[in-house]
Amino acid sequence: QAREEGWGNLVVFDPSMLERAMNLMHIEMDLYRALERDEFFLVYQPIVNITCRRITGFEALVRWNHPDKGTVSPTEFIPISEGTGQIMHIGKWVLMDACQTMARWRETYPEFEDMVVSVNLSARQLSQPGMVEQVAEVLRETALPPQCLRLEVTETMLMGNPEFANMTLARLKELGVKLCIDDFGTGYSSLSYLQAFPIDTLKVDRSFVGKMSREPGNFKIVQAVVALAHSLGLEVVAEGVEEEEQRIMLSELRCESGQGFLFSRPVPGDEVPNLVFAALEALEECTLRGVA
Ligand code: C2E
Ligand code: MG
Ligand code: MG
Ligand code: MG
């Protein structure tokens, strides 16, 4: 027995563990260089009116074009960058790029006048001193009207230190930006805080939306979240809408907006204007047929 030989816990040496540790270390090191090497880029997923499918905005989602690994998902590198503190720099880059791009679209195309770009914040970003000033600076520099920016935070991020979070959200709200709770239903929210936070929108997590057409329990959850949101004066975005059946159900529940593969996958920025034009054409055709 290894234990008797004094090897303790180290006896169970699994080479895949070393591989994973090495991989993590490499990603950490590569992350440090990723910004200066300009390896991050944003993709944009439309958020649409669930009933008429009009595009009302986009969620900006970050991607990492790694020199050897290709495109790396944010679910892989955002948690790592939270650990190393790199998230501060990445987060600022995301905010700047998203606002710059939306400001440019607005200047170029009248179709973008009322569009909103949503940007995800990470836990560490939200608690960072100077966060509010950073947002204000980005808005000033890009000249994006504040109401065209929506910041997404999760319940878990808010409930760690709700008083501080509430204060930060209130200061962000004062800038005129929109605020939204992402992945709603997967964390623990105190309902009393939910009504106190100065938010505009709840995004129902896709784990409920995805199963609502097959499982009555999940349908009921979505129904209850929409009712709760509306009674608090909040709008609802359903995440992960993949099927027409879900869209119809959500529309019947008076959910305002949807986001998901049914409407579009996230697309690179240079494809966004054409996506908007095509969607508007489809919308017009639809109206024409309705009138005829
Ligand atoms: P999220 O904010 O909840 O973003 C929605 C995720 O769901 C995106 O994954 C999107 O591609 C995916 N999705 C959209 N529609 C569908 C659908 O119909 N079906 C399915 N199965 N999935 C759908 P993505 O881009 O991989 O991002 C994952 C998470 O990474 C995001 O979840 C967000 O928490 C985080 N993230 C992404 N970009 C950023 C960023 O710039 N900063 C921070 N802090 N986090 C980010
Ligand atoms: Mg989000
Ligand atoms: Mg989400
Ligand atoms: Mg989600």
Tab-separated table of all heavy atoms in Angstrom, residues 59 120 152 154 182-184 186 203-207 239-240, ligand 4:
chain	number	residue	atom	x	y	z
A	59	GLU	N	-26.677	41.221	-27.926
A	59	GLU	CA	-25.781	40.960	-26.808
A	59	GLU	C	-24.386	40.736	-27.366
A	59	GLU	O	-24.200	39.922	-28.282
A	59	GLU	CB	-26.223	39.741	-25.989
A	59	GLU	CG	-25.243	39.467	-24.849
A	59	GLU	CD	-25.676	38.409	-23.839
A	59	GLU	OE1	-26.534	37.567	-24.181
A	59	GLU	OE2	-25.152	38.424	-22.723
A	120	ASN	N	-21.899	41.900	-20.865
A	120	ASN	CA	-21.846	41.135	-19.619
A	120	ASN	C	-20.753	41.675	-18.709
A	120	ASN	O	-19.639	41.934	-19.156
A	120	ASN	CB	-21.534	39.664	-19.917
A	120	ASN	CG	-22.647	38.987	-20.671
A	120	ASN	OD1	-23.674	38.624	-20.093
A	120	ASN	ND2	-22.468	38.832	-21.975
A	152	GLU	N	-25.277	43.545	-18.128
A	152	GLU	CA	-25.863	42.318	-17.594
A	152	GLU	C	-25.050	41.825	-16.400
A	152	GLU	O	-23.843	41.658	-16.493
A	152	GLU	CB	-25.886	41.232	-18.688
A	152	GLU	CG	-26.691	41.632	-19.908
A	152	GLU	CD	-27.029	40.439	-20.813
A	152	GLU	OE1	-26.532	39.324	-20.550
A	152	GLU	OE2	-27.786	40.651	-21.774
A	154	THR	N	-25.323	38.929	-12.905
A	154	THR	CA	-26.089	37.762	-12.452
A	154	THR	C	-26.523	37.930	-10.991
A	154	THR	O	-25.952	38.727	-10.253
A	154	THR	CB	-25.264	36.462	-12.566
A	154	THR	OG1	-24.140	36.567	-11.699
A	154	THR	CG2	-24.794	36.229	-13.986
A	182	ASP	N	-29.035	38.664	-15.531
A	182	ASP	CA	-28.796	37.594	-16.494
A	182	ASP	C	-29.050	36.238	-15.836
A	182	ASP	O	-28.948	36.121	-14.615
A	182	ASP	CB	-27.319	37.685	-16.927
A	182	ASP	CG	-27.057	37.043	-18.266
A	182	ASP	OD1	-27.976	36.423	-18.831
A	182	ASP	OD2	-25.919	37.151	-18.750
A	183	ASP	N	-29.377	35.240	-16.624
A	183	ASP	CA	-29.508	33.853	-16.143
A	183	ASP	C	-30.457	33.760	-14.952
A	183	ASP	O	-30.210	32.993	-14.012
A	183	ASP	CB	-28.140	33.287	-15.719
A	183	ASP	CG	-27.120	33.368	-16.834
A	183	ASP	OD1	-27.528	33.439	-18.003
A	183	ASP	OD2	-25.916	33.360	-16.535
A	184	PHE	N	-31.523	34.546	-14.970
A	184	PHE	CA	-32.400	34.594	-13.798
A	184	PHE	C	-33.026	33.226	-13.517
A	184	PHE	O	-33.503	32.550	-14.421
A	184	PHE	CB	-33.507	35.643	-13.955
A	184	PHE	CG	-34.308	35.826	-12.698
A	184	PHE	CD1	-33.796	36.562	-11.648
A	184	PHE	CD2	-35.542	35.215	-12.556
A	184	PHE	CE1	-34.510	36.707	-10.453
A	184	PHE	CE2	-36.265	35.345	-11.370
A	184	PHE	CZ	-35.744	36.094	-10.323
A	186	THR	N	-31.292	30.784	-11.859
A	186	THR	CA	-30.265	29.780	-11.576
A	186	THR	C	-29.518	30.073	-10.282
A	186	THR	O	-28.837	29.216	-9.741
A	186	THR	CB	-29.225	29.688	-12.716
A	186	THR	OG1	-28.654	30.988	-12.903
A	186	THR	CG2	-29.875	29.250	-14.006
A	203	LYS	N	-33.500	38.434	-17.499
A	203	LYS	CA	-33.334	37.442	-18.558
A	203	LYS	C	-33.566	36.068	-17.955
A	203	LYS	O	-32.816	35.642	-17.073
A	203	LYS	CB	-31.918	37.520	-19.142
A	203	LYS	CG	-31.698	38.751	-20.004
A	203	LYS	CD	-30.317	38.761	-20.614
A	203	LYS	CE	-30.330	38.165	-22.006
A	203	LYS	NZ	-29.054	38.473	-22.719
A	204	VAL	N	-34.608	35.395	-18.424
A	204	VAL	CA	-34.920	34.064	-17.907
A	204	VAL	C	-33.889	33.089	-18.466
A	204	VAL	O	-33.663	33.040	-19.678
A	204	VAL	CB	-36.302	33.563	-18.374
A	204	VAL	CG1	-36.710	32.324	-17.588
A	204	VAL	CG2	-37.342	34.640	-18.253
A	205	ASP	N	-33.279	32.321	-17.598
A	205	ASP	CA	-32.212	31.431	-18.025
A	205	ASP	C	-32.690	30.400	-19.043
A	205	ASP	O	-33.821	29.923	-18.996
A	205	ASP	CB	-31.593	30.708	-16.836
A	205	ASP	CG	-30.295	30.024	-17.233
A	205	ASP	OD1	-29.343	30.750	-17.568
A	205	ASP	OD2	-30.263	28.775	-17.261
A	206	ARG	N	-31.803	30.066	-19.952
A	206	ARG	CA	-32.170	29.172	-21.045
A	206	ARG	C	-32.456	27.750	-20.589
A	206	ARG	O	-33.102	26.983	-21.304
A	206	ARG	CB	-31.115	29.198	-22.146
A	206	ARG	CG	-29.817	28.540	-21.824
A	206	ARG	CD	-29.075	28.252	-23.133
A	206	ARG	NE	-27.877	27.481	-22.886
A	206	ARG	CZ	-26.658	28.013	-22.823
A	206	ARG	NH1	-26.485	29.285	-23.013
A	206	ARG	NH2	-25.628	27.238	-22.581
A	207	SER	N	-32.011	27.378	-19.378
A	207	SER	CA	-32.317	26.021	-18.910
A	207	SER	C	-33.832	25.845	-18.713
A	207	SER	O	-34.349	24.739	-18.892
A	207	SER	CB	-31.572	25.740	-17.605
A	207	SER	OG	-31.885	26.696	-16.631
A	239	GLU	N	-33.962	33.696	-22.765
A	239	GLU	CA	-32.702	33.256	-23.373
A	239	GLU	C	-32.863	31.870	-23.972
A	239	GLU	O	-33.653	31.067	-23.468
A	239	GLU	CB	-31.631	33.057	-22.296
A	239	GLU	CG	-31.135	34.243	-21.567
A	239	GLU	CD	-29.941	33.843	-20.689
A	239	GLU	OE1	-30.025	32.823	-19.990
A	239	GLU	OE2	-28.949	34.565	-20.745
A	240	GLY	N	-32.100	31.578	-24.991
A	240	GLY	CA	-32.037	30.210	-25.503
A	240	GLY	C	-33.312	29.745	-26.180
A	240	GLY	O	-33.697	28.577	-26.062
B	4	MG	MG	-27.711	31.856	-19.448
